[in-house]
Amino acid sequence: MEVPASTTLAFPQGFLWGTATSSHQVEGGNENNDWWAWEQVPGRIHDGSRCGLASDWWHRAEEDLAVAAQLGQNAHRLSLEWSRLEPSDGAWHEPSVIRYRQILSHMRSLGIKPMVTLFHFTLPLWVYERGGWESDYAVRRFARYVARVVDTFGDLCNLWCTINEPMLYAVYGYVFGVWPPGSGGLRAAGMAFRNMARAHAQAYELIHARQAGALVGFAKHLRLFDPMDPRRPFDRIAAHVLDYLFNDTTLAAFVDGTFLLPLGAHLRPGPAKLADYIGVNYYSRDMVQFDPRYRDEFGMHRFANPGSEISMAGWGEVYPAGLYRALRRLASFGLPIYVTEFGVPDNDDSKRPRFIITHVAAMRRAIEEGVPLRGAYFWSLVDNFEWAEGWGARFGLLSLDPASQARTLKPSALVYRRIAQANGLERSLVQEVAPDLVPALFDGHSRSAYNGSIMSR
Ligand code: FCB
């Protein structure tokens, strides 16, 4: 079928073009949380670095947000640092309240709509020391914290993201042991995950009880798992099992409170609504091959698609079609969707400009097919501290020298600006950055060409 020629692949009016950050990764000086403690032990951060001042947002957020506004952004997703606002059990730290109010007010004055994440991987030490997410204590304290946050900042924000990537957090922290708490195994991971799901459910209700018009959702790291050889039944089963365990269980628990096996019984009797939107963080996919020799992977061996473009060692394939597939899949829940993160580790910004275009094209195709996508947040606005990778994996539109705190616009920032300003993908931009995609995207070439160049395996 021919697609009509056009000069801009337009996005719906009011679409949110944003970037995303998290408190620990950009603020600096968060010495009262579990990640800070974790980083002090040599060997845990691959490049031997520390978070330190991070991107110094505690003092420089305004600077970067002003650039975001100049880049045409009308949205930004950030997290509040629990350990700052509640430095010890029950205490409420006014100077931190004031600082966050400044940042949020500044965003609004720039025309940047905030989305606030309530848990993005960092726990106050006092919660961590009492068992972290494995404990019921964390669920209760999180509920109290959320209520206070909404009471304190509800005049500045009504778009909330309760928990970032709960399943990834459980797997990295408890099964792989590469993030805090660093051990525990499957049982502990299941417990922590269930508690995060309970915390999300409580937060959903608490926020709605306090704020009329609140929009509450969560951010799901949706990773695709494809059988390496679709003709081999065991590859198909292995891919399916990973997809079920990593993706389906999270969506069921966070959208309507259902705990699928092996997580246990239902969280609540019958389905309930626990999300006003689904946030999807999309980065890559894994190919899966059943191979019992990989015991630590339970025989479900994962790897990047051989021969594909790889973003950075260990980070996997650049696979924009996966974003389209993820969006189509999530549309079946009947809720609005935000891409709460998409991005690529690319230290010299050689891949990012094209990456942005192909991923935005994937979103546009999903929208064209009826997916209710409302906004997209690029990870990230400025280079920041990338957890176990430390400063070794750079994701920003702005480059940062952590020592001098000097910033420079990367070429990819200008690409994102063109998209945000045009509220769509202009032919002239694609012509400049990825001319090989023009025929498929703009010249009415057949769907198969469109699929072939951007969307397929
Ligand atoms: C996501 C995290 C975010 C950042 C990006 C690169 O999984 O939510 O904090 O680390 O990956």
Side-chain angles (χ1 to χ4, degrees):
M1 202 185 99
E2 295 298 300
V3 180
S6 62
T7 53
T8 302
L9 299 176
F11 275 64
Q13 222 190 347
F15 192 83
L16 295 183
W17 292 105
T19 41
T21 54
S22 84
S23 55
H24 189 70
Q25 293 177 275
V26 295
E27 284 176 3
N30 283 321
E31 301 186 12
N32 190 24
N33 70 27
D34 54 347
W35 257 96
W36 187 276
W38 179 257
E39 285 159 34
Q40 306 314 310
V41 178
R44 286 176 173 169
I45 308 299
H46 303 166
D47 65 351
S49 63
R50 298 281 180 279
C51 179
L53 262 189
S55 321
D56 198 20
W57 264 37
W58 204 242
H59 306 104
R60 293 173 204 252
E62 284 84 346
E63 220 179 280
D64 290 343
L65 290 164
V67 174
Q70 284 159 17
L71 293 177
Q73 284 179 219
N74 56 5
H76 180 77
R77 171 177 173 239
L78 77 173
S79 71
L80 305 183
E81 176 64 28
W82 186 358
S83 66
R84 278 193 197 272
L85 286 166
E86 192 175 359
S88 58
D89 193 353
W92 199 239
H93 191 242
E94 274 311 313
S96 298
V97 170
I98 292 170
R99 179 66 187 127
Y100 280 129
R101 288 195 62 86
Q102 280 172 350
I103 295 175
L104 292 169
S105 307
H106 184 71
M107 287 170 71
R108 288 165 58 97
S109 71
L110 292 167
I112 293 181
K113 183 181 171 68
M115 174 189 278
V116 165
T117 307
L118 294 158
F119 175 74
H120 196 128
F121 298 162
T122 51
L123 283 174
L125 272 174
W126 57 269
V127 179
Y128 181 66
E129 281 159 5
R130 298 262 311 244
W133 282 116
E134 272 179 276
S135 69
D136 192 53
Y137 176 75
V139 182
R140 282 182 279 128
R141 290 299 182 256
F142 184 70
R144 185 179 70 185
Y145 168 70
V146 170
R148 273 181 144 176
V149 165
V150 177
D151 292 345
T152 310
F153 302 104
D155 57 327
L156 299 173
C157 174
N158 68 351
L159 182 55
W160 306 96
C161 174
T162 57
I163 296 195
N164 183 64
E165 302 190 347
M167 187 55 87
L168 187 103
Y169 176 84
V171 171
Y172 277 33
Y174 297 87
V175 185
F176 298 164
V178 293
W179 287 3
S183 61
L186 286 173
R187 245 184 100 80
M191 178 72 87
F193 178 84
R194 278 197 301 272
N195 281 337
M196 284 187 276
R198 290 170 54 220
H200 162 75
Q202 292 182 16
Y204 181 83
E205 287 179 348
L206 278 168
I207 297 171
H208 278 296
R210 288 180 146 68
Q211 191 182 42
L215 276 182
V216 186
F218 58 97
K220 163 70 189 138
H221 185 122
L222 203 121
R223 199 159 182 98
L224 270 61
F225 301 97
D226 283 333
M228 186 55 221
D229 182 350
R231 289 163 311 183
R232 287 185 66 207
F234 284 116
D235 284 7
R236 289 205 304 274
I237 293 169
H240 185 77
V241 167
L242 286 174
D243 183 59
Y244 171 84
L245 291 174
F246 191 79
N247 295 320
D248 287 336
T249 53
T250 316
L251 291 165
F254 277 67
V255 171
D256 68 14
T258 308
F259 281 164
L260 300 175
L261 284 172
L263 288 170
H266 283 228
L267 177 59
R268 52 174 70 238
K273 183 171 170 166
L274 293 181
D276 304 316
Y277 71 87
I278 297 179
V280 55
N281 294 357
Y282 174 75
Y283 286 92
S284 186
R285 69 152 163 194
D286 290 327
M287 306 311 289
V288 183
Q289 190 162 46
F290 178 71
D291 187 338
R293 284 174 305 173
Y294 291 89
R295 280 210 213 146
D296 54 342
E297 294 183 275
F298 307 101
M300 298 175 284
H301 179 45
R302 298 180 296 118
F303 49 92
N305 198 12
S308 65
E309 185 191 2
I310 304 294
S311 57
M312 228 175 104
W315 274 90
E317 179 183 358
V318 174
Y319 180 54
L323 178 53
Y324 164 77
R325 288 170 57 193
L327 291 170
R328 286 295 304 250
R329 170 175 179 176
L330 294 174
S332 67
F333 288 92
L335 292 171
I337 300 171
Y338 292 91
V339 174
T340 34
E341 290 179 25
F342 71 113
V344 61
D346 178 26
N347 293 358
D348 63 3
D349 205 49
S350 58
K351 299 192 168 80
R352 194 172 289 106
R354 182 185 174 93
F355 176 97
I356 291 175
I357 288 187
T358 54
H359 286 71
V360 168
M363 292 180 212
R364 160 66 202 237
R365 181 176 174 205
I367 291 173
E368 202 178 299
E369 294 176 12
V371 172
L373 180 62
R374 304 283 191 254
Y377 298 82
F378 188 76
W379 186 276
S380 181
L381 176 55
V382 59
D383 285 345
N384 56 54
F385 183 73
E386 182 45 42
W387 310 116
E389 269 77 19
W391 290 99
R394 302 301 183 96
F395 280 85
L397 295 175
L398 295 172
S399 74
L400 170 79
D401 172 358
S404 67
Q405 286 293 324
R407 277 101 162 126
T408 326
L409 274 188
K410 299 181 191 176
S412 54
L414 305 179
V415 171
Y416 202 51
R417 178 178 71 183
R418 292 268 295 273
I419 293 169
Q421 285 180 343
N423 192 30
L425 255 189
E426 292 171 323
R427 180 188 177 108
S428 55
L429 176 69
V430 181
Q431 182 67 49
E432 276 166 43
V433 179
D436 55 305
L437 301 179
V438 169
L441 287 176
F442 295 95
D443 288 344
H445 279 216
S446 67
R447 275 273 174 224
S448 60
Y450 188 57
N451 289 348
S453 58
I454 306 171
M455 302 300 166
S456 70
R457 293 174 61 161

